[in-house]
Amino acid sequence: MSVTRTLSLTSKHQLWVLSQFSRLASTNAWWSNVEMGPPDAILGVTEAFKRDTNPKKINLGVGAYRSDQGKPFVLESVKKAEQLIANENLDKEYAPIGGLQEFCVASAKLAFGDNSRVIKDQLFATVQGISGTGSLRIGAAFLAKFFPGNKVVYLPNPSWGNHTPIMKHAGLDVKSYRYYDSKTCGFDFNGAKEDIEKIPENSIILFHACAHNPTGVDPRPEQWKELSSIVKRRKLLVFMDMAYQGFASGNIDDDAFAVRQFIEDKHNLILAQSYAKNMGLYGERVGAFTVVCQDKDEVDRVMSQIKILIRPLYSNPPVHGARIAAKILNQQDLRSIWLKEVKDMADRIITMRQQLADNLKKNGSSKNWQHITDQIGMFCFTGLNPQQSGRLIKDFSVYLTQDGRISMAGVTSKNNAYLANAIHEVTK
Amino acid sequence: MSVSRTLSLTSKHQLWVLSQFSRLASTNAWWSNVEMGPPDAILGVTEAFKRDTNPKKINLGVGAYRSDQGKPFVLESVKKAEQLITDENLDKEYAPIGGLQEFCIASAKLAFGDNSRVIKDQLFATVQGISGTGSLRIGAAFLAKFFPGNKVVYLPNPSWGNHTPIMKHAGLDVKSYRYYDSKTCGFDFNGAKEDIEKIPENSIILFHACAHNPTGVDPRPEQWKELSSIVKRRKLLVFMDMAYQGFASGNIDDDAFAVRQFIEDKHNLILAQSYAKNMGLYGERVGAFTVVCQDKDEVDRVMSQIKILIRPLYSNPPVHGARIAAKILNQQDLRSIWLKEVKDMADRIITMRQQLADNLKKNGSSKNWQHITDQIGMFCFTGLNPQQSGRLIKDFSVYLTQDGRISMAGVTSKNNAYLANAIHEMLSNRLVRPSSSFFLSIIRCNHRTVPYPDITHPEQTIHMTETHEEKLALPLERPRFIDEYSLNGPPYGRIYEKIPFKYRVEKGRAYLYCACGWANSQPFCDGMCKRVWGNHDVRRNPKFRPIKYVADETKDVWWCNCKQAKKRPFCDGTHKLDFVQKQSAIKN
């Protein structure tokens, strides 16, 4: 024992590695050292919800839209599009590596607007991606290989939990800038401005284009304009993550304001889009990744390189969801139905927010709940701390994540009052 | 100019990087230095095929099954399953990270057999993957993070072209072992055994479970058994890639023989499956990745880690195709229909192979074509070399890849005779003119190591597409300039470098000037133009070809490297103009 103690750390490690190899060699037990990974935080919430027997239980962890009956919801426009596609008897051949062309072009037009200079001059290099995650992942891979500046992505604090693993898995470094002000439950504009001023030039900064996840806090239009000019001055590459276009305010053009403002200010930004929420195409995995380029030649070069990155990831994207999305975006009658349905979904969320705030006041709560109606999109940062969230789960069977985030999609006109009452009880 | 020339390469590069940063900062031009990627080789074949106007043209590059009418084919079982799914009015909620449970279990049972110890003891950690590529990629990511041995994957030589990028992209090293014997067009069993014996212990070895792509050459059952015991003795982790189960022989159990044999021999292997070919679900992206574990505890641990790897890749897999596959595998009537359809597809391929071999014999071919029927699966390594393949394309409009690989899926009962005739005719004709290699060997354009001819040693030769003797044998011509081409002239190539290159030409010697800008051996052609413009165009239309210059005397000549000069191939100062200086060049 004393002999090994006097050995240096390196030699001990070497001995251990050798012993592992010989153990390996004899047992065919390749994975004995693979440890159980940490359980998924949000999944844990859903599993606990399923086990709960309380009839009044509410699941507010779910990140998918629910109807007022609390059921998953397939859009009418999606059903119609699927029927049309079935009638066309299409084959199931491989899509091009960059995805269905009609989908990519329509997706870019949706984001930038038909009259944008990006569309008119064809300055977009757009590929179909595997919903938002896949599109972000392609972008991260592209940045890791080709970004000529600092390969560091600055995320808002807080951001979607999967942003950091995506960037790191692709080989990028991750830092953050202030975003959420827990005192006001709103946007920390001054903090954000200060931090952005300090970001080294030629770095990458990521914004949630609308309906920030998890806080629901979005900058106001004039704040977006100011951010755009600061970022321009700091010479940063803008990475826009737009997962809720149409879903936030109910209007696709309003929700794309930030993206279009930055384009107007001549940022050559990169953009990840998702159709999981606004078309309810969650499991079909429909999304797009776009690089806005200087000229047509750059578009061709960038496209060729993106395809080379996609090939070793999954060769080519799934066709089914993209066919549905393309049909909806390109066929006028389906598009109108879709726009109305998106507005309805957003309106239900906004109505639930209003009802919740009202119910909390009715319960006699003295706290300021204005942020519930100020925030936008599917998620709401209630401002509850982990202890209060824990009490909500334990005592009232209201399931949310420990950061106090609730999914408004899980709130219905039936459970609204119960929820308000529960929140009031844990915060009074 | 002379100052920068005396600086070392590193400092020049540093200066360039600095200049890029400041240029960046001022222009918002993030991607100016992103170069055009090399065009996809197989795609190039398909594009040339589309441009061909010959009514008898055949596309044998395609890697997807075609019916005997040459059409894409959706299986009846798939259509029925899709109809049932539509009727169920399912939602479109997210699948679990690991995919649809009913699909994963059914997929594992299909591979290992219902009675396998792996299934009975539930020793499989199976996740749904994005067809074969995605499943391999998950496996590669898992190995890169958790494999306790040498993170090197040994691939058969040759292997599917995308294997190497997948492994490397995940961070694994790639080596190979002998597999294909070009002399016999068969399996190089002794070579494989020798190479596998030399693989360091605790490395990873990948096998194609059946219907090897691209050769179609599979080990025989007794050879698989021997390979299994050698690999066991060498203590290697086995990575099985099964993309053609059922498609190779027509029987799903026979095609899974290798996998099941290795399982019986107690290999804890890892497996990637694809349903693109055997269910025709190509674009729906249905596949599975499995890790065979020691015990249930290991399955849970491994599953938890695989999910953590999937999340930053794409969160969760597409549901539609997996629902179809799960229904087919789990519903007895659909499964029976499917098994019959898979057998029909495989039988059509086997029949085409037999017909092709018979037709070649009927044409009077004396070559041994036994490998056409010995090989199995969609692809067939004909044994033709790049020159012969090129002539098949040029003279007969039969499109295949340069390695002589044909996709039997593109062969029908209608074009079988023409194909056999084409192969035979091409082999019988003597060369009547110098034949340039129609294809290139795989070029990874490495612009940093351009083999510039050393002008201080004029006797040093440059590698060119035609041999020196062939070039000398060409008729002596006066120098050709741009006016000798079509009215529009050759298209302007990509700017290679913004300064001309001085090279001493010898009297009477012919030089092919690279007009496209892509060659590695600037300023002379090495065949890249065929890749850039497409083989077909370069062959048929002189306007895309390198400009041939035969020197009338020995002298120093400034060759245009910017490819924009009016007096190409010679410099006329165009590189100094603004529009050239502003653009990016291939060589810094």
Side-chain angles (χ1 to χ4, degrees), chain A residues 273-315:
Chain A
Q273 293 169 272
S274 168
Y275 292 87
K277 320 291 193 299
N278 61 7
M279 282 198 184
L281 288 174
Y282 304 94
E284 303 285 356
R285 318 309 290 133
V286 190
F289 172 67
T290 300
V291 179
V292 174
C293 298
Q294 279 289 89
D295 49 48
K296 187 83 182 33
D297 176 68
E298 194 166 283
V299 169
D300 293 338
R301 289 182 280 116
V302 164
M303 276 297 275
S304 74
Q305 293 294 350
I306 295 178
K307 289 182 196 174
I308 291 174
L309 287 170
I310 291 178
R311 192 83 164 105
L313 281 169
Y314 51 85
S315 279

Side-chain angles (χ1 to χ4, degrees), chain A residues 28 34 133 266 301 315, chain B residues 28 34 133 266 301 305 315:
Chain A
N28 194 24
V34 171
T133 307
K266 303 268 195 298
R301 289 182 280 116
S315 279
Chain B
N28 194 23
V34 172
T133 307
K266 302 273 196 299
R301 288 182 283 115
Q305 293 293 351
S315 279

Side-chain angles (χ1 to χ4, degrees), chain B residues 94-347:
Chain B
Y94 290 126
I97 299 176
L100 299 184
Q101 181 76 336
E102 60 269 28
F103 165 75
C104 294
I105 296 178
S107 193
K109 286 182 174 173
L110 183 73
F112 302 118
D114 290 350
N115 296 321
S116 169
R117 62 173 179 92
V118 168
I119 302 295
K120 290 197 171 143
D121 301 340
Q122 291 190 310
L123 299 175
F124 57 97
T126 302
V127 293
Q128 184 187 333
I130 303 187
S131 205
T133 307
S135 307
L136 286 162
R137 183 68 177 80
I138 299 172
F142 184 70
L143 292 171
K145 194 168 179 193
F146 294 105
F147 185 61
N150 299 323
K151 294 187 184 173
V152 187
V153 182
Y154 284 78
L155 302 174
N157 181 15
S159 191
W160 181 44
N162 207 16
H163 273 148
T164 298
I166 293 172
M167 301 302 163
K168 287 195 159 169
H169 196 258
L172 299 169
D173 214 352
V174 166
K175 293 197 165 88
S176 69
Y177 56 92
R178 272 174 288 170
Y179 187 86
Y180 177 70
D181 186 346
S182 49
K183 283 189 238 60
T184 63
C185 294
F187 181 38
D188 184 2
F189 191 31
N190 288 327
K193 283 195 288 187
E194 273 177 44
D195 284 355
I196 293 175
E197 290 285 358
K198 295 202 204 105
I199 296 177
E201 289 190 1
N202 301 315
S203 306
I204 308 154
I205 184 167
L206 184 143
F207 292 109
H208 299 217
C210 59
H212 182 272
N213 177 0
T215 67
V217 164
D218 282 353
R220 288 192 304 273
E222 57 273 19
Q223 291 173 324
W224 273 125
K225 287 182 177 162
E226 212 177 317
L227 285 169
S228 168
S229 74
I230 298 172
V231 164
K232 194 103 215 258
R233 196 167 26 80
R234 294 302 302 152
K235 301 182 179 78
L236 306 175
L237 170 64
V238 176
F239 198 156
M240 279 288 185
D241 183 2
M242 186 150 70
Y244 296 97
Q245 186 183 6
F247 201 89
S249 67
N251 180 301
I252 52 165
D253 297 308
D254 292 350
D255 288 346
F257 173 83
V259 172
R260 298 179 187 184
Q261 180 63 47
F262 275 63
I263 290 292
E264 219 178 282
D265 296 341
K266 302 273 196 299
H267 287 272
N268 282 355
L269 51 82
I270 61 180
L271 167 71
Q273 290 169 275
S274 166
Y275 292 87
K277 320 289 195 297
N278 60 7
M279 283 197 184
L281 289 173
Y282 304 94
E284 303 283 357
R285 318 308 290 133
V286 190
F289 172 67
T290 300
V291 179
V292 174
C293 298
Q294 279 289 90
D295 48 49
K296 188 83 184 32
D297 176 66
E298 194 164 281
V299 169
D300 293 338
R301 288 182 283 115
V302 164
M303 275 298 273
S304 73
Q305 293 293 351
I306 294 179
K307 288 182 197 172
I308 290 174
L309 288 169
I310 291 177
R311 193 76 165 107
L313 281 169
Y314 52 86
S315 279
N316 47 73
V319 291
H320 191 75
R323 283 175 174 168
I324 298 174
K327 218 168 227 347
I328 292 178
L329 291 174
N330 290 324
Q331 202 167 303
Q332 219 28 55
D333 56 335
L334 286 178
R335 191 182 174 111
S336 309
I337 300 174
W338 171 59
L339 289 175
K340 184 171 181 313
E341 291 187 286
V342 162
K343 186 166 187 338
D344 289 344
M345 287 196 287
D347 282 348

Side-chain angles (χ1 to χ4, degrees), chain A residues 21-22 24-38 40 42-43 62-66 72-74 78-79 82-83 86 89-95 97 130-131 133-134 137 141-143 146-150 160 162 165-167 169 201-203 232 235-238 266-270 274 276-277 280-285 291-294 297-298 300-302 304-305 308-320 323-324, chain B residues 21 24-38 40 42 62-66 72-74 78-79 82 86 89-95 97 130-131 133-134 137 141-143 146-150 160 162 165-166 169 201-203 232 235-238 266-270 274 276-277 280-285 291-294 297-298 300-302 304-305 307-320 323-324 494 583-584:
Chain A
F21 261 47
S22 56
L24 255 187
S26 52
T27 61
N28 194 24
W30 303 108
W31 316 115
S32 359
N33 294 318
V34 171
E35 290 170 8
M36 181 65 89
D40 188 85
I42 299 179
L43 200 71
V62 64
Y65 182 80
R66 293 283 176 267
F73 177 60
V74 180
V78 167
K79 289 186 195 170
E82 248 185 332
Q83 190 53 52
N89 276 321
L90 300 166
D91 58 42
K92 295 195 177 298
E93 294 299 292
Y94 290 125
I97 298 176
I130 302 186
S131 205
T133 307
R137 183 67 176 80
F142 183 70
L143 293 172
F146 293 106
F147 185 60
N150 300 324
W160 181 44
N162 207 16
I166 293 173
M167 301 302 163
H169 196 259
E201 289 190 1
N202 301 314
S203 307
K232 194 106 215 251
K235 300 184 180 77
L236 305 174
L237 171 65
V238 177
K266 303 268 195 298
H267 288 270
N268 280 355
L269 51 82
I270 61 180
S274 168
K277 320 291 193 299
L281 288 174
Y282 304 94
E284 303 285 356
R285 318 309 290 133
V291 179
V292 174
C293 298
Q294 279 289 89
D297 176 68
E298 194 166 283
D300 293 338
R301 289 182 280 116
V302 164
S304 74
Q305 293 294 350
I308 291 174
L309 287 170
I310 291 178
R311 192 83 164 105
L313 281 169
Y314 51 85
S315 279
N316 46 76
V319 290
H320 191 76
R323 283 175 173 169
I324 297 173
Chain B
F21 257 52
L24 254 188
S26 53
T27 61
N28 194 23
W30 304 107
W31 317 115
S32 358
N33 295 317
V34 172
E35 293 170 5
M36 180 68 87
D40 188 84
I42 297 184
V62 63
Y65 182 79
R66 294 284 176 267
F73 177 61
V74 180
V78 167
K79 289 186 196 171
E82 245 183 336
T86 310
N89 275 322
L90 300 166
D91 59 43
K92 293 193 179 298
E93 294 300 290
Y94 290 126
I97 299 176
I130 303 187
S131 205
T133 307
R137 183 68 177 80
F142 184 70
L143 292 171
F146 294 105
F147 185 61
N150 299 323
W160 181 44
N162 207 16
I166 293 172
H169 196 258
E201 289 190 1
N202 301 315
S203 306
K232 194 103 215 258
K235 301 182 179 78
L236 306 175
L237 170 64
V238 176
K266 302 273 196 299
H267 287 272
N268 282 355
L269 51 82
I270 61 180
S274 166
K277 320 289 195 297
L281 289 173
Y282 304 94
E284 303 283 357
R285 318 308 290 133
V291 179
V292 174
C293 298
Q294 279 289 90
D297 176 66
E298 194 164 281
D300 293 338
R301 288 182 283 115
V302 164
S304 73
Q305 293 293 351
K307 288 182 197 172
I308 290 174
L309 288 169
I310 291 177
R311 193 76 165 107
L313 281 169
Y314 52 86
S315 279
N316 47 73
V319 291
H320 191 75
R323 283 175 174 168
I324 298 174
R494 184 146 163 71
Q583 292 186 56
S584 60

